[in-house]
């Protein structure tokens, strides 16, 4: 779609994205069922598209893309009617007699900007929540995953009328034009630097928003940890999707007493996962594009590689790589890695952890492997992060009963399950006063000052 067409479309309020508030809950559920059926009919197309975009293994597509989407759909189909009911609230004394309620209403027109790393799931999941809550949606998928973007556009056009949901494809310029428009809500998933730009652009309209970003997620391995389990779960969480996961461990902090032993277990685990040559493994994805490959490949310059470090520019391939204690001022540690490179550091006491973790902005996630509950409690109480896991990595993402989101530089707001409902609706409070009693105390002329002072004493 051309830039002038986007502007024309956005300005044509009679045809484009009228609010769907009038749609009943049953109609929304029918739409969600239709969306579910469309995704199911295009499952193989989705698998094929993600392989074409960056050789994502089919198993990872099924588990990290489709499973998450189906789970969110099923939850909203089951719960949206219950969640949407007005909530009765006890009324204030001064309003007696009255009945008070909170109504959950859609924001209206929502812009969803999706990233490339999980290009189907991270696009469709917020759309599901927004539509279920009665909003209309413009989805801008990532131009870096063009095959998946085409499938998303095909599914959305099959299920929705243009007045309810539409996909607009394009690059940075298209995103900027969309962000220049006035929205009722903006939902953005992407990097911290781009998130800051998005926040600045929508600030001129004071648009409410959710920013799902990232950060340098620490992973702590205590001396008491189950090392076999920790090695498997860390390697899985880090090298899934070739490390292109916002909640993946960004660096390891390993207790010095077990450093050498655990390092060897990591190497053994990576060989078990991907063989002696991960390039030949059908279970290992590629990097999304050449510029991302060049960025990560450059990170390895002058680093002490413990394992891996093999790269191929023709296929955007970098093998699972372990790096020994890179300098905090190196490019590798200056920003979120977002790839299959894992720095390893040692620590001897809790002060070491504080110095390292507090050297970076508040992370999206934090992981700690330990059998010592006092230690895990100390970690949880000492550091601020979006969400975390004890004795595993990234699994908090799949529990739709947990809100998902960041804090500080790692994000604003959250979603998933009920949290998505809270994000894509706003609370509208209504007080319904009765007429059978009207206490004159509050009306001028104020002749009952002493009476109100006595009343006020109840609150003093």
């Amino acid at each position: 779609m051309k830039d002038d067409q986007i502007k024309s479309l956005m300005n044509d309020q009679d045809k484009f994205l009228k609010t769907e508030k009038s749609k009943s809950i049953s109609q929304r559920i029918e739409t969600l069922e239709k969306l579910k059926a469309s995704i199911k009919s295009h499952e193989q197309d989705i698998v094929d598209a993600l392989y074409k975009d960056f050789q994502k293994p089919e198993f990872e597509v099924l588990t990290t893309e489709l499973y998450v989407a189906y789970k969110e759909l099923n939850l909203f189909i089951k719960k949206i009617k219950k969640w949407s009911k007005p909530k009765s609230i006890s009324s204030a004394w001064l309003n007696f007699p009255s009945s008070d309620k909170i109504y959950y209403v859609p924001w209206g027109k929502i812009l969803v900007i999706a990233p490339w790393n999980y290009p189907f799931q991270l696009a469709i999941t917020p759309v599901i929540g927004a539509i279920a809550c009665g909003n209309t949606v413009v989805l801008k998928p990532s131009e870096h995953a063009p095959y998946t973007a085409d499938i998303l556009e095909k599914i959305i056009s099959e299920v929705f009328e243009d007045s309810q949901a539409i996909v607009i494809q394009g690059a940075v310029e298209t995103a900027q034009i969309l962000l220049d428009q006035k929205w009722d809500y903006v939902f953005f998933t992407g990097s911290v630097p781009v998130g800051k730009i998005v926040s600045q652009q929508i600030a001129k309209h004071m648009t409410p928003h959710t920013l799902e970003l990232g950060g340098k997620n620490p992973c702590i391995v205590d001396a008491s940890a189950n090392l076999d389990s920790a090695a498997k779960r860390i390697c899985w969480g880090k090298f899934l999707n070739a490390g292109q996961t916002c909640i993946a461990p960004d660096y390891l902090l390993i207790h010095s007493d077990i450093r050498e032993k655990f390092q060897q277990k990591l190497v053994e685990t990576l060989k078990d996962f991907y063989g002696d040559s991960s390039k030949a493994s059908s279970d290992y994805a590629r990097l999304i594009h050449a510029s991302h490959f060049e960025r990560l490949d450059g990170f390895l310059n002058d680093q002490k590689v413990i394992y891996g470090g093999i790269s191929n520019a023709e296929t955007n391939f970098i093998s699972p790589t372990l790096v020994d204690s890179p300098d905090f001022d190196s490019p590798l540690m200056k920003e979120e890695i977002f790839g299959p490179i894992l720095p390893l550091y040692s620590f001897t006491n809790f002060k070491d952890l504080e110095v390292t973790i507090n050297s970076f902005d508040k992370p999206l996630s934090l992981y700690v492997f330990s059998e010592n509950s006092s230690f895990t409690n100390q970690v949880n109480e000492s550091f601020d992060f979006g969400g975390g896991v004890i004795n595993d990595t990234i699994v908090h993402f799949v529990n739709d009963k947990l809100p998902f989101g960041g804090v500080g530089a790692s994000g604003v707001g959250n979603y998933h399950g009920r949290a998505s409902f809270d994000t894509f609706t706003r609370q509208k409070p209504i007080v319904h006063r009765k007429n059978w009693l009207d206490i004159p105390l509050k009306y001028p002329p104020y002749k009952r000052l002493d009476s109100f002072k006595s009343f006020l004493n109840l609150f003093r």
Side-chain angles (χ1 to χ4, degrees):
M1 186 174 288
K2 301 293 186 182
D3 292 351
D4 56 347
Q5 291 177 307
I6 295 173
K7 292 178 180 178
S8 175
L9 191 62
M10 293 300 300
N11 291 328
D12 192 351
Q13 297 296 320
D14 291 332
K15 295 180 181 179
F16 184 61
L17 289 178
K18 287 184 176 179
T19 180
E20 294 292 304
K21 295 178 184 179
S22 60
K23 282 191 177 293
S24 67
I25 301 297
S26 60
Q27 287 176 310
R28 296 183 206 169
I29 292 173
E30 288 176 8
T31 301
L32 295 178
E33 294 277 16
K34 189 177 178 182
L35 177 58
K36 182 179 176 181
S38 181
I39 293 173
K40 185 176 180 180
S41 69
H42 289 293
E43 274 190 8
Q44 191 57 52
D45 296 331
I46 296 166
V47 170
D48 293 342
L50 280 153
Y51 187 83
K52 291 176 183 176
D53 281 329
F54 56 108
Q55 288 186 225
K56 185 161 186 170
E58 183 174 0
F59 184 84
E60 292 187 9
V61 176
L62 298 178
T63 54
T64 67
E65 306 271 0
L66 289 168
Y67 169 74
V68 177
Y70 284 137
K71 202 164 181 286
E72 192 82 348
L73 272 166
N74 291 337
L75 184 67
F76 269 99
I77 289 168
K78 181 180 179 181
K79 296 287 190 179
I80 187 63
K81 188 172 184 180
K82 177 182 177 182
W83 290 342
S84 298
K85 288 181 179 179
K87 182 179 180 180
S88 295
I89 303 295
S90 59
S91 57
W93 289 9
L94 287 175
N95 290 337
F96 181 82
S98 72
S99 62
D100 298 10
K101 289 184 178 180
I102 295 175
Y103 291 82
Y104 300 96
V105 299
W107 288 101
K109 294 185 297 183
I110 292 182
L111 173 64
V112 174
I113 300 180
W116 51 259
N117 58 323
Y118 291 86
F120 183 80
Q121 180 255 121
L122 290 178
I124 205 69
T125 302
V127 169
I128 291 166
I131 290 294
C133 294
N135 300 282
T136 56
V137 178
V138 167
L139 169 63
K140 194 259 177 228
S142 174
E143 70 275 18
H144 298 304
Y147 294 99
T148 305
D150 286 344
I151 291 299
L152 282 164
E153 184 169 9
K154 186 174 184 179
I155 290 172
I156 295 297
S157 64
E158 283 180 1
V159 175
F160 302 100
E161 297 178 358
D162 285 354
S163 62
Q164 189 176 16
I166 191 171
V167 171
I168 294 180
Q169 294 197 51
V172 175
E173 296 78 10
T174 299
Q176 289 173 337
I177 292 171
L178 288 171
L179 288 167
D180 280 339
Q181 313 307 312
K182 187 173 182 179
W183 301 92
D184 296 306
Y185 202 94
V186 170
F187 190 100
F188 170 83
T189 305
S191 68
V192 175
V194 179
K196 291 179 180 179
I197 295 171
V198 170
S199 183
Q200 290 172 356
Q201 283 195 257
I202 62 179
K204 60 188 175 184
H205 295 303
M206 298 187 70
T207 306
H209 56 273
T210 294
L211 303 177
E212 295 294 343
L213 308 177
K216 297 196 74 65
N217 307 314
C219 182
I220 303 164
V221 185
D222 181 40
S224 68
N226 181 318
L227 301 189
D228 290 328
S229 175
K232 285 192 298 184
R233 294 174 180 182
I234 290 170
C235 287
W236 169 72
K238 174 61 180 180
F239 299 104
L240 179 80
N241 208 42
Q244 299 165 119
T245 305
C246 62
I247 54 175
D250 195 86
Y251 60 97
L252 290 190
L253 294 163
I254 309 166
H255 196 282
S256 56
D257 289 351
I258 59 166
R259 166 64 189 266
E260 186 175 342
K261 183 177 180 181
F262 188 66
Q263 182 176 300
Q264 184 57 37
K265 285 193 177 293
L266 290 172
V267 172
E268 292 170 359
T269 300
L270 289 173
K271 290 180 178 179
D272 288 342
F273 280 9
Y274 305 113
D276 291 329
S277 174
S278 54
K279 187 177 181 182
S281 173
S282 60
D283 297 321
Y284 186 69
R286 298 297 185 263
L287 302 178
I288 189 66
H289 49 57
S291 61
H292 190 47
F293 167 84
E294 291 167 2
R295 169 182 171 270
L296 292 174
D297 196 42
F299 282 171
L300 294 177
N301 292 337
D302 302 321
Q303 297 295 344
K304 183 181 178 181
V305 174
I306 300 168
Y307 176 79
I310 300 169
S311 61
N312 185 311
E314 292 182 5
T315 58
N316 296 327
F317 168 81
I318 294 180
S319 66
T321 300
L322 306 177
V323 175
D324 185 23
S325 306
D327 193 291
F328 282 2
D329 290 328
S330 68
L332 183 62
M333 297 304 292
K334 280 290 190 180
E335 57 188 87
E336 182 182 7
I337 295 171
F338 217 68
I341 304 170
L342 184 59
L344 275 57
Y345 295 92
S346 300
F347 75 94
T348 57
N349 52 53
F350 204 85
K351 181 64 176 177
D352 293 341
L353 295 178
E354 291 179 320
V355 169
T356 301
I357 294 174
N358 292 332
S359 296
F360 306 104
D361 286 329
K362 297 174 183 178
L364 180 57
S365 300
L366 182 147
Y367 309 109
V368 54
F369 288 80
S370 175
E371 296 301 311
N372 184 337
S373 60
S374 296
F375 179 77
T376 58
N377 288 337
Q378 187 179 12
V379 169
N380 184 35
E381 293 168 2
S382 300
F383 303 111
D384 204 3
F385 49 92
V389 186
I390 299 169
N391 292 328
D392 208 341
T393 62
I394 77 173
V395 295
H396 58 306
F397 185 87
V398 299
N399 187 349
D400 52 39
K401 296 179 180 63
L402 296 174
F404 176 80
V407 59
S410 61
V412 176
N414 48 55
Y415 74 126
H416 285 182
R418 174 67 199 224
S420 285
F421 177 81
D422 294 336
T423 289
F424 291 116
T425 59
R426 66 178 185 86
Q427 297 183 21
K428 180 190 282 186
I430 300 292
V431 175
H432 184 183
R433 286 295 311 277
K434 311 300 181 182
N435 289 318
W436 56 266
L437 178 65
D438 200 9
I439 300 173
L441 178 65
K442 68 180 182 181
Y443 297 117
Y446 302 120
K447 297 178 179 179
R448 297 176 177 84
L449 185 60
D450 290 339
S451 297
F452 189 78
K453 285 181 177 179
S454 298
F455 175 72
L456 191 60
N457 282 334
L458 297 172
F459 301 93
R460 287 175 171 158

